[in-house]
Amino acid sequence: MRDILQGVLVIELGTMVTAPLASMMLSDMGARVIKVELPESGDPFRGHGGGKYSPPFVAYNRGKESIQLDLRSEAGLGNLAQLLARADVVIENFRPGAMERMGFDNARLRALNPRLIRVSITGFGADGPYKDRPAYDSVPLALSGLSSLLLDPADPRMAGPTIADNITGMYAVQGVLGALLRRSAGGSGGHVEVNMLEAAISFMPDAFAQFTRAGIVSSPATRVRISQAYTFADADGRLISVHMSSVKKFWEGLVKAIDRADLAEDERFATPIARTRNYDELRAILAAVFAKRGRDDWMRALSAEEVPAAPVYAVDEVQADPHVAHMQTFVRTAHPSMGDIVDIKSPITLDGERRDAFAPPPELNEHAAAIAAEFGLKG
């Protein structure tokens, strides 16, 4: 995958997560990405935690070049036009109408560069009653129904990583690849549009199928009941997750691993449907069992019976796992002034290959002089 997009030039007009993630994924596949940043502070993510090279910025911006352009000025807009005239893709996550107000509507872009693929990432799409609303991750999560599957109604509080942001960036990449494929078959550029609300809805088709086909309104427990997924604390309070699904051998293996043959004879748990219906009762029984021994002991017993299970790691434990280490998922990149950066490789391989070295995220305006000279930009 590392060079599949070699020769593709991407101009990123993005901040925060959605557009930066999309362009970073394209960079991982070999595209050249020029990140156009605000004149004062650059991407606002740079300053999260102080400075101009924050962990959130580092997470979504490796492998790019940086140039600051003032898109409120005629000179800045002229320089952007110079870049777009030679680009293959432009990715923006402005609110609807922003590109048009800058003078870059689709007609202008086609005249400037018929092969250009424009990617617009918005919160709610280009029209409709919510089109002008601001959107950050938790807003489309709430509107899509996805939050209802994550929150405890008795103690509703947000937790965990960004979801809608990341999903939307990934869907944008899918759109870019489709547009590039169409263009390579003799087509022109085009306009890819992705919005966070629909991306979040699309991420959980099973919940909507449960409702439209069976009238079931999913809750946080619906999917885990059906999947027979559990998390238990061991004797030391460390967590372990078990996922049996409806496969008979996994249930039989669990019963054997925990030495509770009586559960196999219990009518409440005799079938997948029965175990789904009596999930809470089974969970309470199993929780009491798992609390008697340590996690490593349980993992050996469950692995011996081929029961799908894993320790619940904290973030600082993941890299030390022997299988993660074997896959070489993490790679260290040296930055001349910002220190070492630990990158996460793309999980996609092609013919057994993937990118194993990355250019570090750029410092603000780091490549301005070189880009200006190459593209003939005005000062």
Side-chain angles (χ1 to χ4, degrees):
M1 293 294 289
R2 59 187 178 185
D3 296 320
I4 197 168
L5 294 183
Q6 188 172 19
V8 171
L9 173 60
V10 178
I11 305 301
E12 181 204 302
L13 306 174
T15 61
M16 310 300 275
V17 177
T18 54
L21 172 61
S23 63
M24 187 180 78
M25 292 176 68
L26 296 171
S27 172
D28 284 352
M29 289 186 278
R32 177 187 181 187
V33 177
I34 296 177
K35 183 180 181 74
V36 175
E37 302 199 58
L38 301 172
E40 294 87 13
S41 60
D43 186 332
F45 241 18
R46 284 185 177 274
H48 277 227
K52 294 286 174 42
Y53 210 74
S54 72
F57 176 81
V58 167
Y60 295 104
N61 287 282
R62 69 177 175 224
K64 303 177 186 180
E65 302 167 43
S66 171
I67 184 171
Q68 289 177 287
L69 296 180
D70 186 353
L71 301 183
R72 298 163 299 188
S73 71
E74 289 300 319
L77 293 173
N79 284 334
L80 177 59
Q82 289 284 97
L83 295 175
L84 296 181
R86 291 169 55 181
D88 296 283
V89 180
V90 56
I91 301 179
E92 46 95 359
N93 59 352
F94 299 135
R95 289 200 200 180
M99 286 286 283
E100 287 71 16
R101 288 190 293 274
M102 290 191 296
F104 293 105
D105 60 17
N106 285 341
R108 166 89 188 282
L109 291 174
R110 280 194 297 271
L112 193 64
N113 180 352
R115 291 174 55 78
L116 182 66
I117 295 165
R118 173 187 174 186
V119 183
S120 298
I121 301 174
T122 59
F124 307 104
D127 51 36
Y130 299 163
K131 72 179 182 67
D132 292 322
R133 288 189 180 184
Y136 288 90
D137 187 75
S138 58
V139 175
L141 283 185
L143 280 171
S144 67
L146 187 48
S147 282
S148 74
L149 308 183
L150 302 173
L151 297 174
D152 179 358
D155 184 20
R157 62 179 70 190
M158 297 301 298
T162 54
I163 298 176
D165 280 338
N166 294 46
I167 296 165
T168 305
M170 293 174 184
Y171 275 123
V173 171
Q174 182 179 351
V176 170
L177 296 178
L180 286 170
L181 183 61
R182 183 184 72 172
R183 196 185 71 172
S184 71
S188 59
H191 189 188
V192 174
E193 298 179 81
V194 184
N195 70 77
M196 295 172 69
L197 176 56
E198 286 188 312
I201 292 171
S202 297
F203 192 63
M204 50 176 191
D206 52 336
F208 288 100
Q210 290 285 0
F211 174 65
T212 58
R213 299 292 296 172
I216 296 172
V217 178
S218 294
S219 72
T222 302
R223 196 274 306 174
V224 295
R225 287 174 177 269
I226 295 170
S227 301
Q228 285 296 288
Y230 300 86
T231 298
F232 303 113
D234 74 353
D236 301 311
R238 297 192 302 170
L239 301 180
I240 183 170
S241 284
V242 179
H243 193 131
M244 292 177 287
S245 189
S246 58
V247 180
K248 182 180 179 182
K249 73 172 185 176
F250 295 152
W251 167 244
E252 294 174 344
L254 174 70
V255 168
K256 186 175 180 181
I258 65 175
D259 194 23
R260 286 295 302 269
D262 60 299
L263 295 177
E265 306 300 322
D266 193 318
E267 291 186 1
R268 294 175 296 171
F269 316 128
T271 66
I273 292 176
R275 291 192 289 277
T276 297
R277 185 180 301 118
N278 297 296
Y279 178 92
D280 290 334
E281 293 91 333
L282 181 56
R283 178 178 174 275
I285 293 170
L286 295 176
V289 173
F290 274 83
K292 295 177 179 178
R293 291 160 60 183
R295 188 168 71 181
D296 294 343
D297 195 8
W298 283 125
M299 279 305 305
R300 284 189 290 271
L302 293 166
S303 296
E305 300 300 332
E306 297 187 332
V307 178
V312 178
Y313 287 143
V315 172
D316 60 353
E317 297 177 290
V318 175
Q319 294 182 58
D321 180 87
H323 192 81
V324 175
H326 167 78
M327 293 189 296
Q328 298 180 319
T329 302
F330 295 88
V331 61
R332 190 174 296 274
T333 302
H335 189 284
S337 59
M338 295 298 177
D340 285 357
I341 295 167
V342 176
D343 282 310
I344 304 168
K345 293 182 183 178
S346 168
I348 304 168
T349 65
L350 179 63
D351 296 333
E353 292 189 351
R354 60 177 172 173
R355 188 170 297 279
D356 54 10
F358 304 95
E363 294 187 64
L364 183 58
N365 213 34
E366 179 179 344
H367 305 91
I371 294 170
E374 179 183 355
F375 288 86
L377 306 187
K378 303 294 191 295

